[in-house]
Amino acid sequence: MPSPKAVAVTVSVVAVAALSPGTALAVASPSPQDVAWMKASAAGDRFEIQGGRMAQSHAHSAVVKQLGARLASDHTKSSKDMKKLAAQLKVTLPTTPDSKERAELARLSSLHGSAFDKQYVKTEISDHKTDIAEAKKEISTGSDPQVINEARKDLPVLRTHLKLAEQAQSRIG
């Protein structure tokens, strides 16, 4: 039977190893899937913020202007939360929408009034359906608990955005 002093030394060594960076007990970095979701989400936030601001100036319908304001506001908060998480996990996030999203913003910027309203709402419905599917995938198959938690936190907001966009579509025709 080991002496009390030997047990204390062993416990101390294990505690130091657990707290030391680079040990097997240290926190693992997020998986490639987690990083890909974080980057796609960050790019999507930029798209929603820019598109929402555009809706406030290009839309004809008050409901579409309100939708744009809500999306810009909610995705600004989401973006701040994702930046904080990315800093903790040492993940570099994009600062612009992806190329497909940039093309859609360019398309939307050429529209005004009811033509803008219809295209913007159609885009938001499609985009939020995709975002919901991606968040669900991250929740079910992601590996980093913090990233999964971020997806869980985003999912109800994305569902609300989809519902609001669908309601806007029914109101503008």
Side-chain angles (χ1 to χ4, degrees), residues 47-63:
F47 172 72
E48 296 298 345
I49 293 165
Q50 291 176 23
R53 289 178 182 159
M54 191 183 304
Q56 292 172 69
S57 63
H58 285 58
H60 172 72
S61 167
V63 72

Side-chain angles (χ1 to χ4, degrees), residues 115-127:
F116 176 89
D117 292 356
K118 289 177 182 177
Q119 185 59 45
Y120 177 71
V121 170
K122 180 181 172 184
T123 297
E124 290 305 330
I125 289 170
S126 174
D127 184 63

